[in-house]
Amino acid sequence: METVVDGTGRAGRSGRRWRITSMQVLCALLVLAILGQDLLREAFDAPVLQTAATVFVAICVQALPFLVLGVLLSGAIAAFVPARALRRVLPRRDSAAVGVAGMSGVVLAGCECASVPVARRLIGQGVAPAAALAFLLAAPAVNPIVLVSTAVAFPGEPAMVAARFAGSLATALIMGWLWLRWGKLEWIAERALRRLPDTEGRDRWRVFAETARADLVDAAGFLVLGALVAAVFGVVIPGDWFSSLGEQIVLGILVMAVLAVVLSLCSEADAFVAASLSALPLLPRLVFLVVGPAIDAKLFALQAGTFGRAFALRFAPVTFVVAIGCGVAAGLLFLGGVR
């Protein structure tokens, strides 16, 4: 530290304020776990805790490869695929541009957190907001990583993959067209409409590493949270409760939709959490998979911070309703009814 003199002539000390980082917390927890391993071993002798630990580890182990692959692709897109590349292939007609932007989510993989700044950059480069918002909803929901992880999580149920793809894509397109019809630019914060500086001068591999690392840290935390909640549900909540919830299909759909918003899972890993709730029918679990990537608690916060609160308060509730409707419609079409 060095001594400085403030505006009143009094001397003081300047220096950075010490803060506790997540890495320090992790190291402290690891040390505590090592010191208390005997106590932990005795605690986990209980059959209920062993079952919960098995479910938790199984979900994490199954989902982690897809999560890592997803964030690597997200980092590669951020570093090597400039946002203006999508603008070049979009039709001039806004309604057609919404459709192309939605379908581009099939090849441009990215998690929910990454899609918000990408949509912001598209708007800053002159893309119609309706098309940018369609891409925002489609990219984390219909990309190959999400579809493959869904197929792995639901073996023997290929209809779940088709239903998730159709429900999520329909949500993105409908929200884009709704914005095109009723959306207003004044709802979007002025800062989101400004042109962004070009980042081509930056080292691309550094951008790749920073983006992938940031996405992995954010998404892994939500994966662990989701796996923990699923494990708790599996051992604390009686199976009869899920069975009765499955019999009341409308209530089951609403509960799973709200759960998707609250859990805020990464789209590359949410299928494994949904698959673990096997006492529920497929339709409520499909709604969970369609709603989660479209709108959840973290996405609402990101949208409010990026596009402004006036935008988020209008866009999020409508997205929630549209996603539920599209999820139910896709389930009835591809799953052969309520099951």
Side-chain angles (χ1 to χ4, degrees), residues 6-7 69-70 82 135 151 157 183 185 219 230 239 244 265 274 284 289-290 312 316 329 337:
D6 60 17
L69 182 57
F135 176 81
E157 292 288 353
L185 279 181
S244 61
L265 298 177
L289 297 178
V290 173

Side-chain angles (χ1 to χ4, degrees), residues 131-195:
L133 296 176
F135 176 81
L136 182 152
L137 296 176
V142 299
N143 66 71
I145 305 300
V146 170
L147 299 180
V148 171
S149 67
T150 304
V152 173
F154 291 90
E157 292 288 353
M160 277 293 287
V161 180
R164 181 174 193 178
F165 174 82
S168 297
L169 181 61
T171 300
L173 297 180
I174 290 174
M175 287 304 300
W177 288 324
L178 287 177
W179 179 269
L180 194 61
R181 176 65 179 84
W182 286 287
K184 299 179 180 179
L185 279 181
E186 54 262 34
W187 293 345
I188 300 179
E190 185 179 351
R191 62 180 180 273
L193 298 175
R194 296 197 203 104
R195 285 198 170 271

Side-chain angles (χ1 to χ4, degrees), residues 54-263:
T54 301
V55 173
F56 173 79
V57 172
I59 293 175
C60 290
V61 169
Q62 282 185 306
L64 191 58
F66 297 100
L67 185 60
V68 172
L69 182 57
V71 299
L72 289 177
L73 285 176
S74 176
I77 290 171
F80 304 108
V81 181
R84 68 174 182 273
L86 180 60
R87 181 163 60 100
R88 289 177 178 174
V89 302
L90 290 177
R92 293 186 178 180
R93 187 177 175 185
D94 288 346
S95 58
V98 169
V100 174
M103 289 301 300
S104 66
V106 176
V107 294
L108 297 179
C111 70
E112 299 92 321
C113 301
S115 66
V116 174
V118 171
R120 158 73 179 93
R121 178 165 293 278
L122 290 174
I123 293 176
Q125 291 189 345
V127 173
L133 296 176
F135 176 81
L136 182 152
L137 296 176
V142 299
N143 66 71
I145 305 300
V146 170
L147 299 180
V148 171
S149 67
T150 304
V152 173
F154 291 90
E157 292 288 353
M160 277 293 287
V161 180
R164 181 174 193 178
F165 174 82
S168 297
L169 181 61
T171 300
L173 297 180
I174 290 174
M175 287 304 300
W177 288 324
L178 287 177
W179 179 269
L180 194 61
R181 176 65 179 84
W182 286 287
K184 299 179 180 179
L185 279 181
E186 54 262 34
W187 293 345
I188 300 179
E190 185 179 351
R191 62 180 180 273
L193 298 175
R194 296 197 203 104
R195 285 198 170 271
L196 295 173
D198 197 355
T199 58
E200 280 194 359
R202 298 179 60 190
D203 179 66
R204 292 186 176 183
W205 286 106
R206 184 174 180 179
V207 173
F208 168 77
E210 290 177 352
T211 303
R213 181 179 58 189
D215 287 350
L216 180 61
V217 171
D218 290 339
F222 291 111
L223 168 61
V224 171
L225 176 61
L228 182 61
V229 172
V232 171
F233 280 177
V235 298
V236 173
I237 299 179
D240 295 341
W241 189 87
F242 279 112
S243 299
S244 61
L245 187 62
E247 294 172 0
Q248 303 179 42
I249 195 66
V250 175
L251 180 60
I253 289 171
L254 294 177
V255 168
M256 291 300 289
V258 173
L259 191 63
V261 174
V262 173
L263 289 184

Side-chain angles (χ1 to χ4, degrees), residues 259-287:
L259 191 63
V261 174
V262 173
L263 289 184
S264 301
L265 298 177
C266 178
S267 58
E268 282 94 356
D270 58 359
F272 297 96
V273 176
S276 69
L277 304 176
S278 56
L280 285 172
L282 288 178
L283 183 57
R285 289 186 282 170
L286 173 64
V287 171

